[in-house]
Amino acid sequence: MNMNLKSLLVPAAVALAAIPVTPLRAQTVLFKSDTARHVIYRIPALVAYGNTLLYFGDDRSGVTDATAWGDVGSEGNISIVARRSDNCGDTWYPEVQTVVEGKGSRGFDRAHGDAAVVCDRKSGKLLLLCASGEISYGRSDVRVARTPRDGGGYDYRLDLTKAQHAGRYYSTDGGQTWTGEDISGQIYALYDEASADTYAEGKGNVAVERLFFASGRICQSRQIKRGSHYRIYSVLTTNQGSLVVYSDDFGQRWKPLGGASARPAPQGDEAKIEELPDGRVLLSCRMMGGRCFNIFTYSNKSCTEGTWATPVASTSLSGGTASQRNATNGEIMIVPAKSAAGKKVFVALQSVPYGNNWSSTINVDRRSHVSIYWKVLASAADYATPEQFLTGWTRYEVTTARSAYSTMAIDGRGRLAFAYEDNGASKVIGSQPADVYDLTFISLPLEKITGGQYTYRKR
């Protein structure tokens, strides 16, 4: 952790009651874990189009040994599953659909998890990105292979045989059927900074040796269209921190935002992207104690070049986005709103488990009290720099239970469709412990979150 982030940390000894707690609201459990029957779910993702919601999660029931904490790379199979609602989550179809099945004994199809999803607002086409294969993130190791070339010299290529892989899946029928492929070579190659003559035998200057797309919501721009679709943004979790990529053809080809050498959050972990009202890009990263924010500003009209600011951390228990004693993925979203007096503003929403002061070293004990922090953006000055996102947040508590990952979308009625892990427990699978949660849904109007001060408005 650099000094910019460390200097913003506050003592964890501040009492939990220091921030007002809102009573627990009604919720729906869509994927029920059962440790006795070895039924295990993790990692929610949610996409909304019209009144339809698709709720995705990892079915990790096939894991026999949580050698990678139950993630992709553990012993056993992991599949991505989904449930559907056609009335904004009032009711859900009981069928559980297997979207991407982990069925192989080896290789790319052994496991798929951590879904990141988006629905193109013009065509209705769905895109899902995921972590795939038999290699875990922590064990991923990208090398450079060298083969002799006819006439002398050598050809060089990335060797991904020991790398965690990335999958890409599309649906053109509203999520009923999906087709996809392994895109690992394309994504790792974005950060292959070395030229052939600088490679040493068998390895080279490969900057990114492990990566996966962060789960949850893929952000689609409302302002930038330079190809066949409005631009989409996603975040790669890598050994170089959080790296942001974008695509102008709905995920067929990707480019690093700011170039291959950009490092917008070197200490960043899993992260999310949101577009600011002026078209700039807001990065919100998971970190111990809260969130790390940064902003990318375009420097040309084609929106192909620009620069990242310096990352800052919001961890204060008073006005910040605190996450006590834990680092957990959440969601960032900026929604148009109006005050009770009719003033048009934007409201920033950041979900994160508030946590607790327990001394336990077990993740599931320290992850609790999933909350939605909210902050009013009344003018451009309120989101001019990353520093504007450090303070001024108010916390709305969704659950008091052990709870972890979360994501959100705006449904066809203008309400917040909120997906989160709840009722956490720890289970030993084979030789290793793994966290187990219920995947839960709740629908929340913006006025509920903001105590009646703001309501959602259509753009």
Side-chain angles (χ1 to χ4, degrees):
M1 181 180 297
N2 65 21
M3 290 304 295
N4 287 334
L5 301 186
K6 187 180 294 184
S7 64
L8 295 164
L9 295 175
V10 299
V14 179
L16 181 63
I19 296 178
V21 174
T22 305
L24 178 68
R25 311 311 304 169
Q27 60 187 25
T28 302
V29 175
L30 295 183
F31 298 94
K32 179 70 174 177
S33 293
D34 186 336
T35 56
R37 294 173 47 237
H38 197 80
V39 176
I40 302 168
Y41 294 106
R42 284 294 317 270
I43 317 299
L46 187 70
V47 67
Y49 52 98
N51 290 336
T52 297
L53 299 176
L54 289 176
Y55 192 127
F56 302 82
D58 287 9
D59 181 352
R60 299 184 175 182
S61 305
V63 172
T64 57
D65 194 336
T67 48
W69 302 281
D71 291 333
V72 168
S74 295
E75 289 298 319
N77 299 108
I78 298 173
S79 299
I80 297 173
V81 294
R83 288 186 63 181
R84 180 189 186 94
S85 171
D86 288 332
N87 54 15
C88 296
D90 291 345
T91 59
W92 296 81
Y93 290 102
E95 295 83 7
V96 175
Q97 176 191 2
T98 300
V99 174
V100 187
E101 185 176 5
K103 58 185 177 181
S105 60
R106 295 259 79 86
F108 175 72
D109 273 327
R110 181 181 177 92
H112 305 279
D114 282 52
V117 293
V118 63
C119 178
D120 179 57
R121 73 172 60 91
K122 294 296 184 181
S123 68
K125 187 176 184 179
L126 292 162
L127 166 65
L128 182 150
L129 304 170
C130 59
S132 300
E134 60 181 318
I135 307 295
S136 69
Y137 175 77
R139 297 179 179 134
S140 181
D141 184 15
V142 177
R143 299 296 180 96
V144 175
R146 188 179 78 164
T147 55
R149 184 189 307 147
D150 291 343
Y154 295 91
D155 289 321
Y156 297 84
R157 62 176 176 81
L158 292 179
D159 180 355
L160 303 181
T161 56
K162 295 183 179 180
Q164 183 168 68
H165 282 237
R168 177 183 62 203
Y169 291 84
Y170 289 107
S171 175
T172 57
D173 57 8
Q176 299 298 317
T177 59
W178 297 80
T179 57
E181 60 186 325
D182 183 354
I183 61 167
S184 307
Q186 176 195 152
I187 304 304
Y188 278 102
L190 295 176
Y191 298 97
D192 179 16
E193 299 176 343
S195 58
D197 58 0
T198 64
Y199 285 132
E201 176 148 1
K203 64 183 296 186
N205 183 24
V206 180
V208 175
E209 298 176 343
R210 56 185 65 91
L211 62 79
F212 66 92
F213 286 93
S215 65
R217 187 175 67 96
I218 298 172
C219 173
Q220 184 168 37
S221 172
R222 290 185 171 273
Q223 304 180 42
I224 301 174
K225 187 175 185 291
R226 297 293 183 267
S228 59
H229 296 72
Y230 280 88
R231 180 167 293 180
I232 58 174
Y233 301 95
S234 192
V235 184
L236 297 171
T237 305
T238 81
N239 57 291
Q240 297 287 324
S242 299
L243 304 179
V244 181
V245 292
Y246 71 93
S247 173
D248 289 331
D249 54 11
F250 206 60
Q252 285 293 304
R253 293 167 296 181
W254 294 88
K255 295 180 180 179
L257 188 64
S261 61
R263 298 294 182 265
Q267 285 75 37
D269 201 327
E270 293 168 305
K272 298 296 181 65
I273 284 292
E274 179 60 299
E275 183 178 56
L276 292 169
D278 60 7
R280 292 179 302 146
V281 179
L282 174 66
L283 172 66
S284 172
C285 300
R286 157 185 170 172
M287 61 169 289
M288 181 60 70
R291 303 298 290 186
C292 168
F293 294 105
N294 203 352
I295 292 176
F296 181 84
T297 301
Y298 288 104
S299 60
N300 59 4
K301 292 183 179 180
S302 64
C303 295
T304 57
E305 298 177 1
T307 57
W308 286 98
T310 301
V312 297
S314 177
T315 57
S316 174
L317 296 176
S318 177
T321 55
S323 185
Q324 295 186 98
R325 293 180 55 78
N326 75 88
T328 310
N329 202 10
E331 186 64 76
I332 182 72
M333 181 178 286
I334 295 174
V335 299
K338 62 181 179 180
S339 69
K343 181 181 179 180
K344 293 182 178 181
V345 298
F346 290 90
V347 174
L349 303 170
Q350 174 67 65
S351 64
V352 71
Y354 181 68
N356 54 63
N357 287 321
W358 296 356
S359 60
S360 175
T361 59
I362 301 173
N363 252 347
V364 75
D365 286 341
R366 293 181 290 142
R367 290 170 163 173
S368 66
H369 298 80
V370 158
S371 301
I372 301 171
Y373 290 92
W374 63 275
K375 173 184 173 69
V376 178
L377 307 178
S379 69
D382 292 330
Y383 51 87
T385 68
E387 284 75 14
Q388 262 70 52
F389 288 90
L390 290 179
T391 58
W393 298 88
T394 301
R395 184 169 70 95
Y396 174 89
E397 188 164 278
V398 178
T399 176
T400 60
R402 291 182 174 96
S403 46
Y405 282 47
S406 58
T407 186
M408 64 183 92
I410 295 294
D411 67 20
R413 299 172 185 168
R415 297 184 305 197
L416 191 71
F418 191 63
Y420 60 105
E421 297 177 323
D422 203 21
N423 303 319
S426 182
K427 176 179 173 61
V428 176
I429 303 175
S431 63
Q432 300 292 328
D435 296 348
V436 178
Y437 295 89
D438 295 335
L439 298 189
T440 309
F441 171 83
I442 191 170
S443 178
L444 294 166
L446 185 62
E447 54 264 39
K448 184 65 183 177
I449 297 169
T450 63
Q453 297 184 57
Y454 297 92
T455 58
Y456 177 80
R457 63 176 171 87
K458 290 186 177 180
R459 294 179 187 265

